[in-house]
Amino acid sequence: MLDAALLHRTVAPPPAALQAPALIECQGLRHTYAARSGPDVVAIEQVDLSIAAGELVCLLGPSGCGKTTLLNMVAGFLPPTAGRLRVGGQDVRGPSPDRGVVFQDYSLFPWLTVQGNVEFGLRMAGVPAGARAATAQHHLTLVGLEAAASRYPFELSGGMKQRVAIARALATDPSVLLMDEPFAALDAMTRASLQAQLLDIQARTRKTVLFVTHNIGEAIVLGSRILVLSARPGRIVEDIRLDGLARPRRRSSPEFNRLYERLAAAIGAEAGE
Ligand SMILES: Nc1ncnc2c1ncn2[C@@H]1O[C@H](COP(=O)(O)OP(=O)(O)OP(=O)(O)O)[C@@H](O)[C@H]1O
Ligand SMILES: [Mg+2]
């Protein structure tokens, strides 16, 4: 039962006794893009955030509010303009195999087989061929694609490509999985199936996941926690913990619908609707 206590806003942090050690920590985080003409664009501002190991955090917000910017900062693709960003207690200074990324567009290497794509990060890390092959097979089995190892990306459906991208991101055993609208281009049935697979993989691996989505239903189905970002410059305006909301989360349930309405109102207000 989703009650007021479960839906408490935690913009003020929970008591120290309830806080697990943070894996991802943002303090006063800001990112400004230098504009070629006109004023610079402040994409995110004053983001304070603490994510513990094993959380599956969904980041929701209106288009252009800075979700991808925040994700790319955690990935190490963009530096903070101000503030502090740490993962595993270390300042983020660039990309790392410890942070696996899955993008919206199918970002597989077209010249490599499925197996070659999943082995790529391991090859870069100098892992010997035998161990690479075994690790790739393990992760392809995890996403149910062990039979497709020798195929090329052009031979795969969109859903299969994203499953390979997930296997590739997991192959280096990162502590954090960063996903930027990874299922947005998929049809509704494939999307639901990949959501279920992601939950299953997360339950088995206990990976920490930061998942960007526009889709409120997707955030409710997946999240152990949902963050809502304000319109640009993005700041966190809602921080809702859903650990107590039973899975699978049925779209027909009153709890689901109450939460949906609340998030729609928060995003609508931010989008100026
Ligand atoms: N390279 C860039 N140079 C200048 N401005 C940029 C750049 N990338 C993004 N922006 C701007 O920063 C703001 C945040 O962009 P971002 O891509 O993070 O938003 P988003 O929340 O991911 O949006 P969407 O939901 O549409 O993907 C937007 O106003 C965007 O126009
Ligand atoms: Mg984006």
Side-chain angles (χ1 to χ4, degrees):
M1 166 80 193
L2 184 67
D3 57 20
L6 182 65
L7 277 179
H8 70 291
R9 288 177 65 148
T10 53
V11 172
L18 297 178
Q19 288 180 12
L23 182 64
I24 302 174
E25 285 175 281
C26 307
Q27 288 162 345
L29 203 61
R30 174 182 230 254
H31 187 80
T32 305
Y33 292 103
R36 266 179 287 179
S37 62
D40 290 349
V41 176
V42 182
I44 63 159
E45 191 166 55
Q46 205 55 47
V47 169
D48 295 307
L49 177 61
S50 177
I51 296 176
E55 287 195 90
L56 198 172
V57 178
C58 289
L59 193 57
L60 269 173
S63 186
C65 74
K67 302 180 294 296
T68 294
T69 302
L70 181 55
L71 195 96
N72 283 342
M73 290 174 83
V74 179
F77 300 145
L78 291 173
T81 311
R84 189 150 200 211
L85 171 58
R86 284 187 288 183
V87 176
Q90 306 280 321
D91 286 323
V92 172
R93 299 196 190 284
S96 157
D98 192 43
R99 281 165 267 133
V101 186
V102 180
F103 300 95
Q104 176 178 348
D105 48 358
Y106 310 126
S107 54
L108 301 180
F109 304 119
W111 63 90
L112 293 177
T113 61
V114 163
Q115 174 94 15
N117 267 279
V118 179
E119 283 190 23
F120 184 81
L122 301 165
R123 186 189 293 269
M124 292 295 105
V127 176
R132 259 187 353 239
T135 305
Q137 274 300 314
H138 169 77
H139 287 94
L140 283 172
T141 304
L142 195 64
V143 298
L145 282 179
E146 60 277 20
S150 58
R151 291 162 82 175
Y152 281 87
F154 76 88
E155 299 176 278
L156 307 179
S157 69
M160 291 166 85
K161 286 181 198 168
Q162 286 308 68
R163 281 149 68 197
V164 177
I166 292 169
R168 184 176 64 179
L170 289 172
T172 53
D173 196 23
S175 60
V176 179
L177 191 56
L178 302 168
M179 309 181 84
D180 193 356
E181 310 214 37
F183 308 149
L186 305 175
D187 64 87
M189 265 170 63
T190 309
R191 188 171 189 155
S193 153
L194 263 72
Q195 288 166 355
Q197 278 202 32
L198 176 64
L199 284 175
D200 182 49
I201 289 168
Q202 204 261 344
R204 285 201 259 164
T205 61
R206 304 312 307 165
K207 292 288 178 204
T208 309
V209 181
L210 184 56
F211 187 105
V212 167
T213 179
H214 266 104
N215 188 302
I216 297 172
E218 181 163 75
I220 300 173
V221 165
L222 292 178
S224 63
R225 184 176 171 193
I226 299 177
L227 303 175
V228 178
L229 238 55
S230 69
R232 188 175 66 78
R235 295 163 187 253
I236 294 165
V237 291
E238 291 264 14
D239 184 347
I240 303 172
R241 290 174 189 272
L242 301 180
D243 315 88
L245 185 56
R247 298 183 188 276
R249 296 181 179 155
R250 308 250 176 246
R251 287 169 194 267
S252 52
S253 76
E255 293 86 3
F256 194 109
N257 284 299
R258 271 201 291 276
L259 187 53
Y260 192 102
E261 293 299 323
R262 174 177 170 178
L263 290 166
I267 293 168
E270 290 302 333
E273 284 166 13

